[in-house]
Amino acid sequence: MNEKEKLILELIRKNPFITQSKLAEELDLSRSAVAGYISSLTKQGKIIGRAYVLPEPSRIMCIGGANVDRKAQAQSSVQFGTSNPVTITQSCGGVARNVAENLGRLGSSVSLLTVVGDDQEGEWLLSITSPYVDTSQTMKVEKMNTGTYTAVLDHDGEMVIALADMAIYDTVSQDFIQKRWSHISSASMVLLDTNFPSDVLQMVIERCYQEKIPLCIAPVSAPKVKKLPANLNGVTWLIANKDEAMTLAGLESGNVEEACEKILTLGAENVIITQGEKGIVYKNKKGEHGTISAPKLKVIDATGAGDSFTSGFLYGMNNGESFEKACKLGMSCSIIALQTKETVCTQLNEHLLNQTYKQYFSEEA
Ligand SMILES: Nc1ncnc2c1ncn2[C@@H]1O[C@H](COP(=O)(O)OP(=O)(O)O)[C@@H](O)[C@H]1O
Ligand SMILES: O=c1[nH]cc([C@@H]2O[C@H](COP(=O)(O)O)[C@@H](O)[C@H]2O)c(=O)[nH]1
């Protein structure tokens, strides 16, 4: 940034609505020269968008899906080939949206970049999400349905099958990301799920690598993990469940340690594999590795446990906690989510997370 740019930024900080003419007058410059400096500041990510919104140094940007989740909970063990008595509930979902809402509830500054249909479901998702998350970068796509995720859960809360109607994400292009890049690049870290097309995922990973923006990947599902590029340079944290990790590693059998090793050779810096009731294993390029066991719990609904882990983990990393403490905060966030019917627990806040962390992990921290 040169001296003139610094002065312009200072004036905008004092008055975010200052006009270009007023800036020109204050600094004794021509209006076109001011326009040139503003364009350069925008490219550098120091100014976000036309309203001169200044970047917040610790804002997390979540990129990916926002769905309506419908869950059919069976009253007894699911039987195939016949009708099963169930109770159906509806809630907001989408991995990137879930992580964004969790982070917002935890008091983090967070933005969501997603697409929804120009329909009631889309309106509903945004109305629930926007009290916690900046959704100004979200686009409404005409003539497309908002994404939906329909899961059948067994009587113990474990998922039996899930159905994803998410054609809307195929409309997302590299241009969509490019137009919002100054907003993305001013974030302290980026969370990317794998709902968007492969070329879009590749672009975000490459740009984060070039611009050294910490990037976390949440693979969404075993089929969608295949959309990731073969080269994972630029991925700071890859957080996957066992199925996703094995698929990404190209292993049909073998253990999670081998999957971690393979994913590190693809270029990721840190790999965390979540293993449901067994907890997590992690490994990084520096050679550090370990496991953290999960406590025994009565699970009410397992949907969103992985997204909650990612949320608690990013909350920890963004607040400068150690990698191990961030993992335990992630597991604490999952514990909270597992004990409620909702995908994102509406009781979640910083106090509850810290209390849960203390209850289950602090004596080992
Ligand atoms: N039955 C369970 N008991 C205790 N902890 C669990 C259980 N299921 C999930 N968890 C916690 O949530 C984390 C994420 O769950 P997991 O099922 O692996 O992810 P996903 O929801 O992505 O499939 C686990 O690493 C663990 O800490
Ligand atoms: O292809 C997808 N499947 C599922 C999800 C989302 O993942 C969450 C469920 O996660 P899990 O099954 O890991 O608990 C739901 O909110 C659902 O909307 C998604 O974004 N994309």
Side-chain angles (χ1 to χ4, degrees):
M1 242 192 325
N2 64 35
E3 278 312 304
K4 288 272 184 317
E5 289 173 347
K6 278 187 199 154
L7 288 172
I8 289 179
L9 211 52
E10 227 173 86
L11 289 171
I12 292 174
R13 203 166 267 129
K14 280 190 201 137
N15 174 10
F17 294 102
I18 192 166
T19 63
Q20 292 195 358
S21 313
K22 187 76 183 145
L23 283 167
E25 195 186 305
E26 295 262 353
L27 298 171
D28 203 21
L29 291 168
S30 68
R31 210 200 56 79
S32 60
V34 169
Y37 288 124
I38 286 184
S39 148
S40 154
L41 285 165
T42 306
K43 280 194 196 120
Q44 295 170 49
K46 307 284 179 198
I47 293 174
I48 310 165
R50 265 184 285 151
Y52 305 144
V53 180
L54 299 171
E56 292 166 53
S58 64
R59 188 171 46 84
I60 303 174
M61 171 57 105
C62 298
I63 306 176
N67 299 323
V68 173
D69 286 359
R70 297 194 177 107
K71 293 179 215 168
Q73 168 101 49
Q75 287 162 15
S76 49
S77 274
V78 168
Q79 289 183 42
F80 293 96
T82 184
S83 66
N84 289 262
V86 296
T87 308
I88 296 185
T89 50
Q90 178 169 303
S91 61
C92 294
V95 171
R97 198 216 65 86
N98 292 342
V99 174
E101 186 184 334
N102 276 322
L103 283 166
R105 286 183 180 276
L106 288 170
S108 303
S109 164
V110 57
S111 294
L112 174 66
L113 200 164
T114 188
V115 286
V116 293
D118 194 5
D119 50 21
Q120 273 186 352
E121 286 83 353
E123 279 297 328
W124 180 66
L125 283 180
L126 294 180
S127 71
I128 304 272
T129 311
S130 42
Y132 307 97
V133 176
D134 163 28
T135 55
S136 62
Q137 301 307 304
T138 290
M139 185 172 72
K140 282 189 181 164
V141 186
E142 281 179 21
K143 298 193 183 109
M144 295 297 293
N145 296 331
T146 294
T148 61
Y149 167 86
T150 307
V152 177
L153 308 177
D154 219 330
H155 63 116
D156 58 2
E158 288 294 333
M159 188 235 286
V160 177
I161 188 170
L163 311 161
D165 174 4
M166 301 178 195
I168 190 168
Y169 302 135
D170 298 335
T171 65
V172 176
S173 65
Q174 291 191 345
D175 187 51
F176 171 79
I177 300 292
Q178 181 56 42
K179 288 205 173 101
R180 290 159 178 80
W181 190 259
S182 58
H183 199 91
I184 299 169
S185 69
S186 63
S188 58
M189 51 180 67
V190 171
L191 174 278
L192 177 68
D193 77 21
T194 58
N195 279 305
F196 290 170
S198 303
D199 63 323
V200 172
L201 303 183
Q202 181 162 5
M203 177 190 182
V204 175
I205 294 171
E206 282 176 7
R207 296 283 300 263
C208 285
Y209 187 42
Q210 285 157 8
E211 298 181 28
K212 300 191 171 55
I213 306 165
L215 170 66
C216 176
I217 302 272
V220 170
S221 66
K224 284 191 179 172
V225 79
K226 293 182 188 151
K227 291 203 235 170
L228 286 171
N231 182 344
L232 294 181
N233 283 329
V235 175
T236 317
W237 307 284
L238 187 300
I239 304 177
N241 67 20
K242 187 174 176 190
D243 285 351
E244 294 155 358
M246 297 302 273
T247 307
L248 182 59
L251 297 173
E252 279 181 9
S253 59
N255 59 38
V256 285
E257 280 76 15
E258 282 174 64
C260 279
E261 199 54 59
K262 182 70 206 300
I263 296 168
L264 290 176
T265 65
L266 298 177
E269 270 173 55
N270 299 277
V271 179
I272 302 170
I273 302 183
T274 65
Q275 303 189 86
E277 63 188 11
K278 290 198 207 144
I280 63 158
V281 324
Y282 63 86
K283 196 162 188 159
N284 66 28
K285 272 193 175 160
K286 290 187 230 152
E288 293 158 347
H289 57 93
T291 59
I292 305 177
S293 305
K296 282 232 167 311
L297 294 176
K298 186 173 174 328
V299 173
I300 292 180
D301 183 343
T303 316
D307 303 348
S308 295
F309 176 85
T310 303
S311 312
F313 174 78
L314 290 179
Y315 163 85
M317 293 311 290
N318 206 41
N319 286 325
E321 302 293 358
S322 68
F323 181 81
E324 193 177 337
K325 179 160 181 194
C327 288
K328 289 176 179 171
L329 285 165
M331 294 175 77
S332 306
C333 201
S334 299
I335 290 169
I336 296 167
L338 287 159
Q339 291 172 307
T340 124
K341 277 205 168 303
E342 303 145 313
T343 308
V344 171
C345 173
T346 50
Q347 304 303 310
L348 181 66
N349 58 36
E350 265 186 302
H351 178 68
L352 179 61
L353 181 67
N354 288 320
Q355 243 185 351
T356 310
Y357 170 81
K358 275 200 198 120
Q359 184 182 345
Y360 290 96
F361 298 107
S362 71
E363 69 280 10
E364 334 163 3

